[in-house]
Amino acid sequence: MEDLVERLSRLYSFRKDTPTIWQEALGKHKIRTEQWEDITFLRLDKPVHSLERGTILSEEGIINGYPRIRRIINLANGIRRNLPAAFYVEEKVDGYNVRVAQVGGKVVALSRGGYVCPFTTDRLDDLLDYGPFFRGNPDLVLCCEVAGPESPYNTESPPYIKEDVRLFVFDMMRKGGQVLLPEERYRLVKRYGLPSVRVYGSFLPDDAEEVLDIAREMDREGLEGMVLKPQKEGRYLKYTVPSSHINDIRATAILVKDMPCGFYLKRILMLGFALEELEVGGDRERARLLGDVFTGSIKDAQELVLSGKEIAEHFQVRFRKRENMTRFFSLFKKAPVDVRITGEQTLDGYIRVRFERIYRRTTAFISSSLGGATFVD
Ligand code: ATP
């Protein structure tokens, strides 16, 4: 049998020292073998050299992990400093990231970490007509955001999605290669009638004031923000608007002990910068809202725990196939949260399942604090 280092080196070679890099990565357990139905592939659990976490390797080539996007928190100066030439402004849709690609002859949706997402893969036929696209372009990967009130991973949803979930293509990558330039993607999206993120147009660095107006409009509409993409070469930038920071805090304030320490501080900072720059008004009102969101959530948490309930997030999702639903729930076995199915109903060919993610740490903290426990601070 072919040695794994040889196989990896055949599937992908770095500029130099290829076998050594793969050997070391294997030694550090950065590479995992994954199976989905009859497909097997290799997944990078951690970055390896220049390859992102979530990259997958199979006989059909390499599907790179979706690159990280740098954030700016002062929009006008962020544009002036980082974008020397024309760029596009796109909506940053608030959902979860999947790469849709052909692997082992099957079209699957891969999560950021490189797992096949059982939910998205189950619903792919409802979300986009991918057949003609992959017949014509088997070497391309669709980078998409899935969002909606019935998302299994997000408790927030863009306000214009009223039910279920929708998928939006925001990039395309060539297997083993680069992300396509926006214009090439716009052309392919149009040609194959794919669902896309909204594009607000093309701008120059001197148009910062117009981009600020778009950010204000996004804030009014309750959207998350924007991604700025150079027309030619260059790095993307992301920027999020005040309402999205408050919504993020509102959605998570009740989980306070389960959130990473910096989560709220980062959002408060971004909120402060954005309110000042966009001059969207209502500063006082938002400051009060922010306080209410925190104190109100802690109050709600105490009430829940006192009534014998646990701190949880609630979801409702639709599956087509039961086997995918089983696969989806088995993913949580490795996660630090507990998941409990609270209801199930079959309607119009879908299994509609309700479930909760239970946050044990926050529940235990609220409960022991109410019970008079002491802390060293
Ligand atoms: P990072 O990109 O730094 O890993 P993250 O995983 O926390 O950050 P976000 O801060 O939400 O993610 O921002 C980047 C993500 O935004 C992308 O990975 C993608 O899933 C999502 N996104 C939504 N709309 C777009 C868009 N139009 N262009 C690019 N990415 C978009």
Side-chain angles (χ1 to χ4, degrees), residues 118-180:
F119 170 74
T120 323
T121 305
D122 181 75
R123 299 293 313 278
L124 221 44
D125 287 346
D126 298 329
L127 297 172
L128 85 162
D129 181 15
Y130 53 79
F133 177 80
F134 286 119
R135 271 196 293 280
N137 306 278
D139 62 328
L140 289 186
V141 178
L142 296 172
C143 306
C144 317
E145 196 79 355
V146 178
E150 291 173 58
S151 159
Y153 305 114
N154 309 87
T155 52
E156 293 175 82
S157 157
Y160 52 83
I161 311 180
K162 300 296 177 209
E163 59 166 358
D164 203 7
V165 283
R166 279 169 56 189
L167 174 146
F168 305 85
V169 175
F170 60 73
D171 264 316
M172 290 182 194
M173 298 193 292
R174 208 162 285 288
K175 281 182 179 164
Q178 300 289 319
V179 172
L180 303 192

Side-chain angles (χ1 to χ4, degrees), residues 66-71 90-98 112 144-145 170-171 185 197-198 224 227 229 236 238:
Y66 187 72
R68 307 207 65 185
I69 303 177
R70 292 181 82 88
R71 183 184 290 279
E90 294 181 1
E91 183 195 348
K92 180 178 190 305
V93 177
D94 190 8
Y96 65 91
N97 176 306
V98 283
R112 199 92 198 260
C144 317
E145 196 79 355
F170 60 73
D171 264 316
R185 165 173 42 106
V197 289
R198 179 168 169 195
E224 189 189 13
V227 181
K229 303 187 174 178
Y236 290 2
K238 63 184 178 191

